[in-house]
Amino acid sequence: MARAFDVLAARSHFPALNEKQVYFDNAGGSQVLREVIDSITNYLCHTNVQMGGTYAVGKQSTKLFNEGMDAAARFINAGADEIVLGSSTTQLMRNLSSALDFPPGSELILSLLDHEANIAPWVQIATARNLTIKWWGSTDKQNPQLTPEILKPLLTAHTRLVACTHTSNILGTIHDIKAIAETVHTVPGAMLCVDGVAYAPHRGLDVKALGVDLYAFSWYKVYGPHMSMLYASCSIQPQVHSLGHYFNASTTLEDKLGLAGSNYELTASIPKVVAYLGPDPAATWAQIAAHEEKLQGIILEYLNSNEDIVVYGEKEASRKKRVPVISFGVRGRSAKEVVEKVQGRSEFGFKSGHFYSKRLLDEVMGLGEEGVLRVSLVHYNTEEEAAGFVKVLKEVLAES
């Protein structure tokens, strides 16, 4: 039997959790490990020089950066030559779209359930290069999902890229990326590009097992520094041309797309995130998933029981189906008003809006400008916090 998750021990690693604020907006960015904070401070105090120097501090700086790259690659079971670090997933996707070669007549299939970071770059490139875009959506307005069955009719011999999300940052639903990858790869030369930003804080990643060609996520949502990472398999890298200076190397993905964006002190802190997961990361992720299932269960039980509330995404709390990114609406109530009233009488921090998934809300779910109410929890949140949120929300909705 798996050992139970020790949430108090986990919380002790996060200085911000000693404050009154209760963080229920983690999908926008998690709190940061103390070890990461200390690592960044130590780097800036003791090894803050340009890499490549042959003097002692220069050698140490280069060593710390390389160790950060290696740890980042191991985190997703990739090689260090298959990853690039940058300021945000949005920026890395823009770099990738600019550098990726597409033959004339190529077709791109884009998911309507995605954050705009994995849509806008492809739309812009398709317009500039006269490529065809096909949209992959869902007819279910409350629980839309991306399935191979809906994807298959969109595929043709001209398909060169399919872009989708592993988990919607609105819905929290987990998509079967391995099955989607297998479907995409029935077309010779077709690539799958996955936005894993909303998934990575909740589950372990193995890009080789998933069979993806391209995968991106943000370290600042996985308890680390404010930077992001993009993976591109070695097999597709010949299709990625370098954006770097002509006289620099163009061997690795970092060479091609990095543009000096992999901040030294932040990169050097990544091993601390990996170490936090312990000697058996798979076991730790399993404990986290079980704990988060309890958290989302507490909130979803109430939301599903209230006739005035509409839950968007999976209504079940099963860890196999969703992560604790929970969106909902209240009939007859302004989303902004509900947020303000809950926050006016409690320390719960959460938001309403479209969260950069505007096409999902407008074109698939048919919601208005206000969007949805969203609470997003992670492993350092507690059952007491989840129950406390339900209590306050009940009080607010009971008022006329």
Side-chain angles (χ1 to χ4, degrees), residues 39-199:
S39 172
I40 293 169
T41 301
N42 289 334
Y43 184 98
L44 292 174
C45 288
H46 304 294
T47 54
N48 188 31
V49 297
Q50 282 291 332
M51 293 189 301
T54 56
Y55 52 96
V57 175
K59 289 180 179 179
Q60 181 64 8
S61 174
T62 302
K63 178 176 179 290
L64 290 171
F65 180 88
N66 289 337
E67 288 174 351
M69 290 290 290
D70 289 342
R74 287 198 308 275
F75 186 77
I76 62 170
N77 188 28
D81 58 343
E82 295 179 302
I83 64 166
V84 57
L85 299 171
S87 60
S88 67
T89 295
T90 298
Q91 181 63 64
L92 289 175
M93 288 294 196
R94 287 283 183 178
N95 291 1
L96 172 66
S97 66
S98 298
L100 199 55
D101 294 327
F102 290 105
S106 293
E107 296 176 355
L108 315 183
I109 300 175
L110 309 181
S111 153
L112 284 168
L113 275 61
D114 272 55
H115 185 289
E116 194 66 13
N118 199 22
I119 298 177
W122 307 118
V123 171
Q124 184 175 14
I125 289 298
T127 301
R129 301 184 191 177
N130 198 28
L131 309 178
T132 299
I133 291 177
K134 293 183 176 181
W135 294 102
W136 178 17
S138 171
T139 57
D140 190 328
K141 290 179 177 288
Q142 288 190 19
N143 186 18
Q145 297 184 32
L146 299 173
T147 66
E149 289 71 29
I150 300 175
L151 173 62
K152 285 176 183 177
L154 300 174
L155 295 169
T156 73
H158 300 290
T159 302
R160 286 298 172 266
L161 181 89
V162 176
C164 74
T165 180
H166 202 154
T167 296
S168 162
N169 72 326
I170 295 285
L171 307 168
T173 305
I174 299 171
H175 296 119
D176 189 347
I177 293 299
K178 185 174 182 179
I180 290 170
E182 290 171 352
T183 302
V184 170
H185 293 149
T186 60
V187 178
M191 296 173 285
L192 176 63
C193 179
V194 179
D195 177 347
V197 171
Y199 180 85

Side-chain angles (χ1 to χ4, degrees), residues 245-295:
H245 298 312
Y246 75 92
F247 49 80
N248 283 340
S250 58
T251 305
T252 69
L253 194 66
E254 181 76 21
D255 294 336
K256 293 181 174 184
L257 302 183
L259 298 177
S262 50
N263 178 294
Y264 296 170
E265 64 269 23
L266 303 189
T267 301
S269 73
I270 290 175
K272 302 302 182 183
V273 180
V274 178
Y276 171 68
L277 295 167
D280 187 354
T284 302
W285 284 119
Q287 292 169 16
I288 285 173
H291 172 66
E292 291 183 346
E293 184 177 69
K294 294 177 184 177
L295 299 179

